[in-house]
Amino acid sequence: MDLNYSAEELAFRDEVRVFLEAKLPQDLSEAVRQGKGMCKDKHDRWHSILNERGWLAPTWPQEHGGCGWNAVERHIFEEECCRAHAPRIVPFGLTMLAPVLQQFGSDAQRAYFLPRILSGEHWWCQGYSEPGAGSDLASLRTRAVRDGDHYIVNGQKTWTTLGQYANWIFCLVRTNPEAKQQEGISFLLIDMNTPGIEVRPIELLDGTHEVNEVWFTDVRVPVENLVGEENKGWTYAKFLLTHERTNIAGVGFSQAGLEAVKRLARQQLHRGRPLLENPHFAARVARAEIDLMAMSTTNLRIISAAAKGQAPGVESSMLKVKGTEIRQEINDLARRAAGTYALPFASESVAGDNSELAPPDGSEAVAAQYFNNRKLSIFGGSNEIQKNIIAKVSLGGRS
Ligand SMILES: Cc1cc2nc3c(=O)[nH]c(=O)nc-3n(C[C@H](O)[C@H](O)[C@H](O)COP(=O)(O)OP(=O)(O)OC[C@H]3O[C@@H](n4cnc5c(N)ncnc54)[C@H](O)[C@@H]3O)c2cc1C
């Protein structure tokens, strides 16, 4: 097996590099490099730049405006974007909802929503979790009751990422409380500007406002916003989760993170020598790098199968567990490499400060990232739940 890129793939990589050099605004890449939070304006700018180039939706079929890239090209693109510190593309519309609409939505829904996801006119958020319905998602209680041409929605969602920016939310709602849990759920698309919706912020461990509670009081949703069939939402919800988990592998982020750890550990001294030469530290870095290479190959294998039309199954759970473990290990290595400089996670401690306590370049955000990325093993279905899924498939013979 030849693991080197072909001449065409190298040419594609160069094309991506040239594009990123020309089009990725420096203030955006600098903000990403320093681990600073992204405001809506920054996300929107990068979204528009990619859309203009036609490179916003690598996973979509070309007929809907996708790039038509194969698995290797997508991998190269992700790798290069992370290497250049491009902002992450917000996944809710592009990589979570869009595949569901493409597979299960009506023609009218595809025609209306897909172009607006690409243009950025619609910013989507994910209304799955509720208090008491996270791992046990099927026990969700937000109710939707049919009233003529509308559903009336009442209830509460929680942990809604970037819901403060969203103008649309895709929601799992209970339409039949009498049926078995999974059989009474529907998948609704809800305009966040509908009267009766309230978004309340939740502050995270690193002090950021990234997640929210979303409350629904007598919210009227047109029936044409139901995806697929009533009470079949669980099928669509699970399909969406496999896409969410595959993207969670975060190979490019880990590659960029590992490079940052090495840069930091070259600058930091341990007993007069660069920390990177310390055998214990170097062994941990090597182990993370080997794990990452193995996962990167597995990731390629899985996206290649997905490109041939196979929805990722248990493999996406494997990627979720391994990908997040690697990212958290890299965060921990960065925190250790920064040493005492990791103590303050205040944004004002920036490189370039000429006081004696000026931190080494790359150490400013390690604590914030370490704390923020505790979330990785919780969201998208916690890692314990993914391990249950893997065990059931490999030990129990069912998915
Ligand atoms: C930062 C962040 C962003 C999020 N964004 C979104 C979003 O945008 N939209 C959305 O809908 N949700 C979102 N979530 C919610 C996320 O999906 C849930 O937090 C997750 O599914 C876990 O549910 P829970 O928090 O209710 O924990 P629980 O389900 O109460 O679990 C608590 C602990 O028990 C363990 N556990 C539970 N059941 C089992 C079991 N059967 N076997 C073994 N261990 C078990 C879990 O692994 C966990 O460690 C987000 C969460 C976070 C932290």
Side-chain angles (χ1 to χ4, degrees), residues 214-233:
V214 182
W215 293 75
F216 301 85
T217 311
D218 294 331
V219 175
R220 294 184 70 80
V221 182
V223 284
E224 59 263 28
N225 288 3
L226 173 76
V227 173
E229 289 177 53
E230 193 176 272
N231 297 325
K232 291 278 186 324

Side-chain angles (χ1 to χ4, degrees), residues 83-97:
R83 208 178 60 90
H85 304 294
R88 157 186 107 105
I89 288 298
V90 178
F92 302 108
L94 273 164
T95 51
M96 294 191 199
L97 177 64

Side-chain angles (χ1 to χ4, degrees), residues 250-295:
V251 174
F253 291 112
S254 288
Q255 283 166 340
L258 203 56
E259 285 314 307
V261 165
K262 287 185 191 170
R263 271 196 304 276
L264 193 54
R266 273 187 210 108
Q267 294 173 65
Q268 292 286 75
L269 298 182
H270 176 75
R271 295 191 181 150
R273 303 288 311 157
L275 176 63
L276 196 56
E277 292 175 15
N278 172 281
H280 179 65
F281 192 84
R284 272 187 70 180
V285 171
R287 185 177 175 158
E289 195 155 13
I290 292 163
D291 279 353
L292 180 55
M293 284 165 75
M295 189 192 60

Side-chain angles (χ1 to χ4, degrees), residues 40-85:
K40 181 170 187 296
D41 166 64
K42 287 195 170 99
H43 279 298
D44 285 345
R45 273 162 62 206
W46 185 230
H47 184 108
S48 301
I49 291 167
L50 286 178
N51 190 33
E52 222 165 78
R53 181 65 181 82
W55 283 0
L56 184 60
T59 54
W60 291 22
Q62 262 176 306
E63 60 185 290
H64 294 305
C67 310
W69 291 339
N70 61 30
V72 178
E73 287 165 334
R74 277 192 259 161
H75 181 74
I76 290 173
F77 182 70
E78 187 194 314
E79 222 176 12
E80 292 304 314
C81 283
C82 289
R83 208 178 60 90
H85 304 294

Side-chain angles (χ1 to χ4, degrees), residues 92 125-130 132-136 158-162 204 210-211 372 375 377-385 388:
F92 302 108
C125 61
Q126 180 185 26
Y128 272 29
S129 305
E130 298 179 7
S135 303
D136 185 16
T158 193
W159 303 118
T160 317
T161 300
L162 302 182
L204 287 184
E210 187 177 308
V211 290
N372 188 280
K375 71 188 175 190
S377 45
I378 302 172
F379 68 19
S382 75
N383 283 16
E384 289 78 14
I385 294 297
N388 285 350

